Amino acid sequence: MSAIYLNGERVPRERAVISVYDHGFLYGDGVFEGLRFYSGRVFKLREHLERLEESARHIHLVIPGTLETLANDVEATVLASGMSDGYVRLIVTRGVGNLGLDPRSCPVPQVIIIADGISLYPVEMYEKGMEIVTASTIRNHPNALNPRIKSLNYLNNILAKLEAIQAGVPEAIMLNHMGEVAECTADNIFVVEKGRLRTPPRNAGILAGITRATVLDLARASGIETLEETLTRHDVYTSDEMFLTGTGAEIIPVTKVDGRPIGNGLPGPVTRSLRGKYHDLVRNAGNS
Ligand code: PMP
């Protein structure tokens, strides 16, 4: 089952519609979050709401109500869905306005919450690893549209995703405007090099992933050295292990990049161990 809340009220699926004059639809003017719930509990709800608020502040959008009411509405949507495990899409659009960019014509932002099932990568990809390529489309320049904003405008990522599809693989690495490794189209990137875990810093033109932060915490807690530093394609090609992180994907191993096998071409021990720890954490967070 699914459940949908529109501006604080539960609505049936067929009435869950927005105006063609909503600037979220007309211009991608809005922000969103993708959350997971496990055993009925939303994982890292507070962190997602804070990131949503940061995105909103950047685009000068005031989210109606408080973060507490929003948290309650997210939890109510999850409960109403009747599902134990699933995905939440939380969207705040600029709202209904005129045909014209000026956000001042949109007095009331719209808050949309959808709790539904999640489509995951196939199980064998988690066991054997994923092959990916580097896209020629670079991540948005931070002075144009900062990737720290999780905005409704995902065309930059979609263009890179299309390149992945053209190449017959599920994902693509996006470089930043400096030619450094940034992130994949909807996941952050990690490599393991001589037992150390490396990931691009938050100012590398990436979304500051919540799974990324969780994985860094898990690694530090288990005594793995972590480095948030610039990565180049050379670092990727010569790494011992590689994996991607995201709310939807969780932790997924990458075993081939641009035709080059990573390490021995199989998911490595650090990736496997962190995957185990991540699974334990989300399960425990669900039971607490
Ligand atoms: N980068 C991008 C561009 C994303 O859209 C996402 C979320 N799907 C991520 C990274 C991963 O972020 P999180 O771990 O918070 O889901």
Side-chain angles (χ1 to χ4, degrees), residues 3-10 42 45 49 64-80 88 90 111-115:
I4 302 156
Y5 268 59
L6 251 181
N7 304 317
E9 304 234 337
R10 183 157 185 213
V42 183
L45 176 55
L49 292 177
T66 63
L67 287 196
E68 276 60 44
T69 43
L70 202 51
N72 292 340
D73 285 352
V74 169
E75 276 162 353
T77 314
V78 167
L79 192 65
V88 174
L90 168 57
V111 180
I112 301 155
I113 310 171
I114 308 166

Side-chain angles (χ1 to χ4, degrees), residues 84-258:
S84 149
D85 291 1
Y87 183 82
V88 174
R89 177 58 56 92
L90 168 57
I91 306 156
V92 185
T93 75
R94 188 75 68 180
V96 173
N98 301 332
L99 296 179
L101 291 181
D102 191 343
R104 290 172 304 178
S105 77
C106 315
V108 190
Q110 295 235 53
V111 180
I112 301 155
I113 310 171
I114 308 166
D116 210 332
I118 176 160
S119 63
L120 303 167
Y121 287 119
V123 179
E124 58 268 23
M125 227 174 246
Y126 286 88
E127 279 150 19
K128 295 198 182 123
M130 181 191 270
E131 175 175 358
I132 64 174
V133 294
T134 305
S136 66
T137 306
I138 63 163
R139 198 72 176 91
N140 283 326
H141 192 297
N143 290 340
L145 175 56
N146 196 317
R148 293 287 298 274
I149 310 168
K150 200 164 167 62
S151 86
L152 291 181
N153 215 306
Y154 255 56
L155 262 186
N156 177 225
N157 314 57
I158 291 165
L159 289 174
K161 185 82 172 182
L162 284 171
E163 290 190 52
I165 293 163
Q166 279 294 322
V169 296
E171 259 303 336
I173 296 177
M174 300 185 76
L175 306 175
N176 64 19
H177 62 287
M178 313 271 280
E180 302 156 353
V181 170
E183 59 184 340
C184 283
T185 66
D187 293 314
N188 290 113
I189 295 175
F190 282 83
V191 298
V192 179
E193 182 244 1
K194 296 190 179 69
R196 300 178 313 169
L197 191 60
R198 305 172 70 193
T199 193
R202 295 197 304 177
N203 63 4
I206 65 171
L207 182 76
I210 287 162
T211 320
R212 173 188 177 279
T214 307
V215 166
L216 284 171
D217 285 347
L218 285 174
R220 286 182 197 122
S222 53
I224 298 170
E225 188 184 343
T226 61
L227 297 162
E228 295 176 62
E229 59 181 15
T230 302
L231 291 184
T232 64
R233 272 180 294 170
H234 180 78
D235 297 316
V236 167
Y237 295 154
T238 58
S239 65
D240 305 318
E241 299 181 32
M242 179 174 182
F243 59 85
L244 312 181
T245 64
T247 298
E250 299 182 328
I251 298 177
I252 185 150
V254 174
T255 45
K256 208 183 233 190
V257 179
D258 298 333

